[in-house]
C-alpha cells in the first residue's frame, strides 16, 4: 500500500494508507502523477530513498535541491529514461492517470511520447529545424500527409514561441540556432508529439538571462495545456514559474507543497537552510 | 674503433661537465638549492649539453660525409694507367682502393700488375686522407668541447636561468626530430617525382594514364626501349579499382554494422569479447591474408563457380556454364573478398570511434521522444556520424588501393581491362612488385615505370587521405 509522505519526509506525518494526498494538492487541479516508495539504485549505490509525491495536472512543479540529490534521477523515472542506463534499477510505483508506468504492459517507447523531456543542454538533432520538429510525429506516425506534418510543425513551433524567428529558414540546421532558440526548438520537438507531461531538467542552466526569461514565459504559457515538471538550481526561477515546489536532499524528498508557502514558510530546517543559501 | 673511443671520451667529458657545473652552481648558492633559480641538475645539464652535443653532431656529420669526401679527393686525380679502363672498371678501382685502405674485402676484379701498383698507391693516398680527416675531426671536436665549456661554465651562478636554457634545448631537440621526419618524407617524394619525370620523358603521361596496353617486359629489350605501347596503365587502374570496390563491398557493410553493434547494442560482456577479437584480426600480417586468399579462398571460390557452371551446361545458359567452368583460382573476387576481410577491423574501429563520439545527449533526446533503439540509430546516430564514417571509408579505400600482398598472391598478373570480378586482374601495386623484383638495371623504362606507378598511387592515396582526414576532423570539431 502506498504511503503518503508528500507533505513531509517524516513517517509520523503519514496519513492513512491509500488516502489521497489531499493536503499536498489543494482543491483545484487534479493529480496527474502519483509516485510512491520510489527507490533508485545505480549498481550498489542508492540514489533515491522512498520518494513519494503527487504532481498536479496543468501546473508547474519545480524540483529544487543541491547537486547530486537525485532530482534528475527522479525526473527520469517518470518517463522511464532510467531504462536506458543499464546499471540503474527502480522500485516503487509511479502512477500516471492511475496507471503504473513501470507496469509490464506499458511500453516505455509509447510512454515517452506521452511524457516529453527537455534536457539541460539543448540537444537539437543535426538536422533541419523542420526535421527536428517532425522527428516525433514521423516516428509515431502522427501525420498522414505532408500538409498535416507541416501543420504540426508550424503549430508546435508557434506554441514554443519560435515560429516568428525561424519560419523563413525551416530547412536550415537546428544546430545553427542560438542556445535559447535551440532550447525552444527542443521544446517544440517535444510538444509535436502531443505529450501530456513535459519534464525539464534545468532547461535554462546553459542560457543567458534573456533567453532564460523567454523560456520561463513559455513555461508559463504551456502550463495551460501540460503538466510540467522542472528541475532548477535557481530558487528565483522556481518561485517565478512554479505553483508547487519539491525540495530534495541527499536522495530524499524533504518537503513539497505550494511554492509561495514553501518559500515564505518552510517546514523543514533543511529546506530553510537551502532556501536561505546556507548550503547547496 | 677510434670513433668509439671518441664517443666514450665525449660521454665521459659530458658527465664530468654535468658534475662540475652542478657543483659550481650549488657552491655559488652556498650549498642551498632553495636559493638557486633552477634545480642544481639543470645547471649541470646545461653545461653537459653544450660540451657534448656540438661535438657529437660534428662527429655524426663527419661519419656521414667522410666517405664521400675521401672518395671525391681520391678520384680527383686519375693515375694514367686507368686510361685503359672503362668507366665502370674505374669506379670499381676506386672502390677497391678505399677498401684496401680500410682493410675491407676487395671486389673480385682482376687487375693488371701496373694497375695493381696504382691501386696500392691510391690506397696509401686514401689512408692519408682518412687519417687527416679523422685527426681534423677529433681536433675540431676537442675545440668544440672546450668552447662549449668555456661558453657556459663561467656564467654559472645561482641566478643563472639554467632551467629555461635547458628548456630551449629540449625545444630544439623536438624540432630537430620533426624536421628530420619532414625532410625524409620530402626526400622520398622528390626522388619519386624525379624518377617519374625521367620515365615520363620517354613515355608520354597521356599514353601512360590512358593507354590500354600494358606489357612493360617487352620494353626492356634494347631495340624497343621507350616503346610506348607497352606502358598503358589503364588496365592496372581498372584492376585496382575493381579489387578495391569488391573489398569495400565486404568491409563497408560488415565493418559498419559491427561498429554499430559494438557501440550501440553490445553489452559490456560482448564488447569485452568482440573488441579484442577484431584487434587480433587487425594484427594479422597481410602476407597471411595473402596465402589464406591464394590457398583457401581461391580454391573454394573456383570450385563453387565451376560446379555452378556445371548446372548450366547443356541448358539455355550453356555459354555461361562453360565460362564458369573455366574460372581460375586467381580472380579479382578472391583478392577483393580477402582484402575486405582484412579491412573490416579497420573500418569498424574507426566507425566505432566516430559513433561513440556522437554525443549521448542526442541519443537521450531521441529516446525521450519515444524512439526505439534502431530508430535512434538509423535516424539520429548514423546521420550525425555520417561525415565521419565517410571519412573512415575513404581511409579504408586508400588502404585498399595501396595494399600489395593479398593482390600479389591472389589477383593474378595479367593486365586485363575488365570489370568482371571472376577474371584475373592485376593492380598497380602488383606491377610495381613485379617490375622491381629480381635483378634490375636502374634506368630502363621498365624499372622507371614502377616510379610512374608509384607516383600515381601516391597522388591518389594522398588526396584520399587528405580529404578523409579533413572530413573526420571537421566532424570531430562539430561535437567537441
Ligand atoms: N548514470 C549514473 N550512473 C551512476 N550514478 C549516477 C548516474 N546518474 C546519477 N548518478 C548518481 O545519482 C545521484 C543523483 O544524481 P542526479 O539525479 O543526477 O542528481 P541531481 O540531478 O539532483 O544533481 C548522484 O549521486 C549521482 O552520482
Ligand atoms: Mg541533474
Amino acid at each position: 500500500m502506498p504511503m503518503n509522505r508528500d507533505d513531509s519526509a517524516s513517517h509520523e506525518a503519514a496519513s492513512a494508507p491509500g488516502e489521497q494526498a489531499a493536503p499536498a494538492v489543494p482543491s483545484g487541479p487534479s493529480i496527474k502523477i502519483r509516485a510512491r516508495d520510489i527507490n533508485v539504485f545505480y549498481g550498489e549505490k542508492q540514489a533515491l530513498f522512498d520518494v513519494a509525491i503527487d504532481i498536479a495536472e496543468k501546473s508547474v512543479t519545480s524540483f529544487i535541491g543541491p547537486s547530486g540529490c537525485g532530482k534528475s534521477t527522479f525526473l527520469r523515472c517518470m518517463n522511464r529514461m532510467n531504462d536506458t542506463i543499464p546499471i540503474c534499477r527502480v522500485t516503487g510505483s509511479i502512477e500516471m492517470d492511475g496507471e503504473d508506468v513501470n507496469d509490464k504492459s506499458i511500453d516505455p517507447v509509447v510512454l515517452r511520447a506521452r511524457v516529453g523531456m527537455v534536457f539541460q543542454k539543448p540537444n537539437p538533432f543535426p538536422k533541419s529545424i523542420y526535421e527536428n520538429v517532425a522527428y516525433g510525429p514521423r516516428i509515431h506516425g502522427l501525420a498522414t500527409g505532408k500538409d498535416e506534418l507541416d501543420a504540426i510543425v508550424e503549430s508546435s513551433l508557434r506554441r514554443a514561441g519560435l515560429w516568428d524567428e525561424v519560419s523563413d529558414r525551416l530547412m536550415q540546421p537546428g544546430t545553427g540556432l542560438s542556445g535559447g532558440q535551440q532550447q525552444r526548438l527542443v521544446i517544440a520537438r517535444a510538444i509535436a508529439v502531443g505529450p501530456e507531461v513535459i519534464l525539464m531538467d534545468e532547461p535554462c542552466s546553459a542560457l543567458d538571462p534573456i533567453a532564460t526569461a523567454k523560456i520561463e514565459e513559455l513555461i508559463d504559457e504551456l502550463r495551460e495545456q501540460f503538466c510540467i515538471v522542472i528541475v532548477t538550481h535557481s530558487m528565483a526561477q522556481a518561485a517565478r514559474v512554479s505553483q508547487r515546489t519539491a525540495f530534495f536532499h541527499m536522495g530524499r524528498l524533504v518537503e513539497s507543497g505550494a511554492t509561495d508557502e514553501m518559500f515564505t514558510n518552510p517546514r523543514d530546517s533543511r529546506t530553510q537552510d537551502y532556501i536561505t543559501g546556507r548550503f547547496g | 674503433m677510434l670513433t668509439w673511443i671518441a664517443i666514450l671520451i665525449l660521454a665521459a667529458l659530458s658527465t664530468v661537465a654535468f658534475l662540475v657545473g652542478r657543483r659550481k652552481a650549488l657552491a655559488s648558492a652556498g650549498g642551498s638549492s632553495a636559493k638557486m633559480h633552477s634545480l642544481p641538475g639543470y645547471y649541470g645539464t646545461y653545461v653537459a649539453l653544450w660540451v657534448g652535443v656540438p661535438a657529437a653532431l660534428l662527429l655524426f656529420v663527419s661519419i656521414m660525409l667522410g666517405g664521400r669526401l675521401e672518395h671525391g679527393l681520391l678520384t680527383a686525380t686519375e693515375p694514367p694507367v686507368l686510361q685503359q679502363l672503362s668507366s665502370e672498371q674505374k669506379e670499381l678501382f676506386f672502390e677497391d682502393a678505399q677498401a684496401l685502405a680500410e682493410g675491407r674485402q676487395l671486389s673480385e676484379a682482376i687487375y693488371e700488375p701496373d694497375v695493381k701498383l696504382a691501386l696500392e698507391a691510391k690506397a696509401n693516398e686514401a689512408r692519408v686522407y682518412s687519417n687527416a680527416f679523422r685527426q681534423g675531426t677529433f681536433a675540431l671536436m676537442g675545440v668544440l668541447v672546450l668552447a662549449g665549456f668555456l661558453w657556459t661554465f663561467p656564467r654559472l651562478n645561482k641566478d643563472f636561468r639554467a632551467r629555461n636554457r635547458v628548456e630551449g634545448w629540449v625545444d630544439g631537440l623536438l624540432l630537430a626530430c620533426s624536421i628530420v621526419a619532414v625532410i625524409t618524407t620530402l626526400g622520398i617524394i622528390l626522388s619519386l617525382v624525379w624518377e617519374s619525370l625521367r620515365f615520363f620523358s620517354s613515355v608520354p603521361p597521356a599514353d601512360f594514364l590512358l593507354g590500354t596496353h600494358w606489357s612493360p617486359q617487352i620494353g626492356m629489350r634494347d631495340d624497343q626501349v621507350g616503346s610506348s605501347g607497352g606502358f598503358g596503365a589503364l588496365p592496372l587502374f581498372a584492376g585496382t579499382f575493381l579489387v578495391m570496390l569488391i573489398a569495400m563491398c565486404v568491409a563497408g557493410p560488415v565493418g559498419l554494422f559491427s561498429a554499430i553493434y559494438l557501440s550501440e547494442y553490445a553489452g559490456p560482456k560482448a564488447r569485452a569479447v568482440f573488441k579484442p577479437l577484431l584487434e587480433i584480426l587487425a594484427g594479422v600480417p597481410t602476407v597471411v591474408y595473402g596465402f589464406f586468399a591464394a590457398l583457401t579462398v581461391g580454391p573454394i571460390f573456383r570450385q563453387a563457380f565451376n560446379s555452378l557452371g556445371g548446372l548450366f551446361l547443356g541448358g539455355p545458359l550453356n555459354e555461361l556454364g562453360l565460362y564458369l567452368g573455366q574460372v581460375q583460382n586467381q580472380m579479382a573476387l578472391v583478392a577483393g573478398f580477402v582484402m575486405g576481410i582484412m579491412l573490416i577491423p579497420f573500418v569498424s574501429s574507426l566507425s566505432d570511434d566516430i559513433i561513440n563520439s556522437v554525443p549521448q545527449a542526442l541519443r537521450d533526446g531521441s529516446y525521450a521522444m519515444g524512439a526505439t533503439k534502431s530508430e535512434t540509430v538509423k535516424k539520429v546516430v548514423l546521420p550525425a556520424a555520417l561525415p565521419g564514417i565517410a571519412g573512415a571509408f575513404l581511409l579504408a579505400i586508400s588502404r585498399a588501393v595501396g595494399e600489395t600482398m593479398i593482390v600479389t598472391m591472389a589477383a593474378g598478373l595479367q593486365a586485363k581491362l575488365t570489370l568482371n570480378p571472376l577474371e584475373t586482374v592485376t593492380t598497380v601495386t602488383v606491377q610495381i612488385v613485379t617490375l622491381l623484383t629480381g635483378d634490375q638495371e636502374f634506368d630502363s623504362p621498365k624499372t622507371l615505370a614502377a616510379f610512374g606507378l608509384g607516383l600515381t598511387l601516391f597522388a591518389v592515396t594522398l588526396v584520399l587521405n587528405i580529404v578523409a582526414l579533413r572530413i573526420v576532423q571537421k566532424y570531430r570539431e562539430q561535437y567537441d
Side-chain angles (χ1 to χ4, degrees):
Chain A
M1 272 300 200
M3 300 259 285
N4 170 24
R5 246 166 279 135
D6 192 19
D7 351 358
S8 146
S10 57
H11 288 231
E12 300 88 313
S15 38
E19 200 194 69
Q20 287 276 327
V25 178
S27 56
S30 56
I31 295 169
K32 181 71 183 172
I33 296 171
R34 170 205 287 270
R36 293 294 180 270
D37 298 319
I38 298 298
N39 288 283
V40 179
F41 305 82
Y42 290 109
E44 294 296 300
K45 183 172 173 283
Q46 188 163 2
L48 284 181
F49 301 84
D50 301 324
V51 173
I53 190 173
D54 292 342
I55 291 171
E57 178 78 303
K58 308 241 190 298
S59 74
V60 180
T61 304
S62 59
F63 290 177
I64 59 172
S67 293
C69 65
K71 307 178 297 289
S72 301
T73 300
F74 185 59
L75 204 64
R76 286 200 307 266
C77 290
M78 291 192 264
N79 63 348
R80 287 182 60 181
M81 276 297 277
N82 283 328
D83 291 14
T84 63
I85 302 172
I87 56 166
C88 188
R89 192 161 57 82
V90 180
T91 65
S93 85
I94 296 189
E95 286 174 10
M96 208 173 114
D97 295 334
E99 210 179 357
D100 189 354
V101 302
N102 286 318
D103 196 86
K104 285 199 183 65
S105 67
I106 297 272
D107 181 357
V109 169
V110 175
L111 172 71
R112 289 181 201 141
R114 290 170 61 199
V115 184
M117 189 166 198
V118 173
F119 298 82
Q120 186 166 351
K121 210 174 145 237
N123 59 352
F125 302 135
K127 299 169 181 284
S128 69
I129 294 170
Y130 182 95
E131 285 301 325
N132 262 284
V133 183
Y135 184 79
R138 277 194 207 280
I139 54 177
H140 295 294
L142 299 184
T144 48
K146 171 86 176 120
D147 293 343
E148 212 171 320
L149 193 59
D150 288 351
I152 293 178
V153 170
E154 178 174 346
S155 79
S156 308
L157 283 169
R158 275 192 197 285
R159 287 157 84 188
L162 194 60
W163 177 255
D164 293 335
E165 290 160 62
V166 302
S167 59
D168 55 343
R169 48 169 168 158
L170 289 178
M171 290 308 150
Q172 282 170 29
T175 43
L177 298 172
S178 75
Q181 288 174 324
Q182 288 189 11
Q183 201 62 303
R184 278 180 284 150
L185 175 62
V186 171
I187 292 174
R189 183 175 77 186
I191 292 175
V193 286
E196 300 153 33
V197 179
I198 300 179
L199 310 173
M200 301 189 180
D201 194 350
E202 301 182 31
C204 302
S205 62
L207 304 182
D208 61 75
I210 295 176
T212 301
K214 279 202 174 148
I215 301 272
E216 287 180 4
E217 208 176 301
L218 174 61
I219 291 173
D220 209 45
E221 283 166 22
L222 293 176
R223 162 167 73 95
E224 318 261 300
Q225 299 141 29
F226 304 101
C227 164
I228 295 177
V229 183
I230 175 173
V231 172
T232 175
H233 260 128
S234 149
M235 247 76 69
Q237 184 170 63
R240 281 194 300 267
V241 301
S242 71
Q243 287 72 54
R244 300 179 51 71
T245 297
F247 173 62
F248 286 78
H249 183 55
M250 295 174 67
R252 292 178 197 276
L253 176 66
V254 174
E255 84 176 77
S256 74
T259 302
D260 329 332
E261 214 177 291
M262 187 133 139
F263 278 91
T264 50
N265 189 12
R267 270 166 290 177
D268 195 289
S269 63
R270 287 168 292 182
T271 320
Q272 169 124 34
D273 287 348
Y274 184 71
I275 289 171
T276 53
R278 231 167 289 167
F279 69 93
Chain B
M1 186 60 201
L2 272 180
T3 312
W4 287 113
I5 292 176
I7 291 173
L8 277 181
I9 292 177
L10 196 59
L13 284 176
S14 298
T15 315
V16 171
F18 175 84
L19 296 172
V20 176
R22 190 172 73 164
R23 182 124 168 237
K24 179 179 175 197
L26 258 178
S28 79
S32 136
S33 62
K35 290 193 194 129
M36 299 162 73
H37 172 271
S38 315
L39 289 176
Y42 279 115
Y43 297 87
T45 310
Y46 178 61
V47 181
L49 282 169
W50 271 106
V51 163
V53 176
L57 279 181
L58 177 74
L59 187 63
F60 178 73
V61 171
S62 95
I63 290 171
M64 297 301 288
L65 296 184
R68 284 282 179 90
L69 196 71
E70 280 170 46
H71 191 77
L73 286 172
L74 215 54
T75 51
T77 56
E78 273 182 18
V81 284
L82 288 198
Q83 258 147 39
Q84 45 181 323
L85 302 181
S86 72
S87 68
E88 269 152 45
Q89 282 172 315
K90 277 184 198 164
E91 214 168 283
L92 212 56
F93 170 87
F94 285 115
E95 254 164 45
D96 275 350
Q98 265 184 312
L100 192 61
E102 289 162 26
R104 281 187 281 123
Q105 181 95 40
L106 298 198
S107 73
E108 274 145 29
I110 295 165
Y111 296 106
E112 305 280 315
D114 52 340
V115 182
K116 191 131 194 174
L117 274 180
L119 186 76
E120 266 152 28
K122 271 291 172 193
N124 278 333
E125 207 183 322
R127 271 187 214 111
V128 172
Y129 289 144
S130 75
N131 274 338
F133 188 72
R134 192 184 290 146
Q135 280 160 11
T137 305
F138 289 159
L140 208 56
M141 281 171 66
V143 171
L144 283 178
V145 166
L146 202 62
F149 186 74
L150 292 180
W151 168 249
T152 51
F153 189 72
R155 298 201 281 159
L156 294 186
N157 63 55
K158 68 182 174 46
D159 296 322
F160 182 72
R161 302 189 170 187
R163 191 178 173 196
N164 310 29
R165 300 301 176 101
V166 171
E167 194 66 23
W169 273 92
V170 171
D171 247 28
L173 187 74
L174 297 180
L175 181 70
C177 287
S178 44
I179 286 178
V180 166
V182 170
I183 287 186
T184 331
T185 317
L186 271 184
I188 292 172
I189 295 173
L190 280 182
S191 88
L192 196 58
V193 170
W194 177 247
E195 302 293 341
S196 305
L197 284 181
R198 282 175 63 193
F199 170 68
F200 285 126
S201 68
S202 57
V203 179
D207 289 1
F208 173 72
L209 292 176
L210 301 173
T212 56
H213 179 61
W214 178 263
S215 50
Q217 312 298 339
I218 298 168
M220 198 173 79
R221 271 193 257 130
D222 276 351
D223 50 338
Q224 285 195 7
V225 163
S227 87
S228 58
F231 291 103
L234 201 58
L236 312 189
F237 300 146
T240 309
F241 179 76
L242 179 62
V243 172
M244 177 276 284
L245 203 66
I246 296 168
M248 287 312 291
C249 285
V250 175
V254 178
L256 180 58
F257 291 150
S258 65
I260 292 174
Y261 172 73
L262 281 179
S263 58
E264 299 293 319
Y265 287 88
K269 272 188 199 150
R271 242 181 119 80
V273 175
F274 278 104
K275 271 247 149 185
L277 270 181
L278 277 174
E279 267 146 34
I280 289 174
L281 206 58
V284 177
T286 54
V287 68
V288 174
Y289 283 109
F291 63 70
F292 173 60
L295 302 181
T296 312
V297 180
I300 290 176
F301 275 38
R302 190 204 59 211
Q303 273 164 17
F305 284 116
N306 289 356
S307 45
L308 189 69
L311 299 180
F312 293 127
L313 285 181
L317 293 174
N318 193 33
E319 296 270 308
L320 180 65
L322 286 175
Y323 175 73
L324 289 178
Q326 54 84 51
V327 161
Q328 298 296 306
N329 273 347
Q330 295 195 320
M331 55 175 136
L333 188 62
V334 172
F337 177 79
V338 174
M339 194 189 285
I341 291 177
M342 180 197 83
L343 289 176
I344 287 174
F346 186 68
V347 171
S348 102
S349 77
L350 276 176
S351 308
D352 188 35
D353 286 351
I354 286 156
I355 291 174
N356 276 329
S357 73
V358 171
Q360 182 62 29
L362 289 184
R363 296 185 183 86
D364 286 345
S366 175
Y367 291 139
M369 296 294 303
T372 62
K373 196 164 218 168
S374 70
E375 283 164 351
T376 302
V377 168
K378 197 169 67 190
K379 298 195 169 180
V380 173
V381 177
L382 280 187
L386 197 63
I389 290 172
F393 274 40
L394 285 185
L395 284 180
I397 288 176
S398 124
R399 289 248 330 230
V401 167
E403 163 54 35
T404 309
M405 220 53 227
I406 296 173
V407 273
T408 306
M409 294 168 87
L413 287 172
Q414 272 182 51
K416 272 191 221 162
L417 189 56
T418 175
L419 286 179
N420 178 352
L422 303 184
E423 293 281 332
T424 78
V425 294
T426 192
T427 68
V428 174
T429 48
V430 172
Q431 286 307 309
I432 294 179
V433 171
T434 48
L435 287 174
L436 293 185
T437 39
D439 275 343
Q440 306 294 343
E441 330 160 43
F442 234 71
D443 32 17
S444 73
K446 182 193 151 188
T447 33
L448 288 178
F451 285 99
L453 290 175
L455 184 68
T456 320
L457 194 61
F458 171 72
V460 170
T461 46
L462 183 71
V463 170
L464 280 174
N465 283 354
I466 289 177
V467 173
L469 290 177
R470 271 282 157 79
I471 294 176
V472 172
Q473 209 171 28
K474 203 157 184 184
Y475 172 78
R476 289 259 158 82
E477 280 164 14
Q478 207 180 324
Y479 303 114
D480 49 356

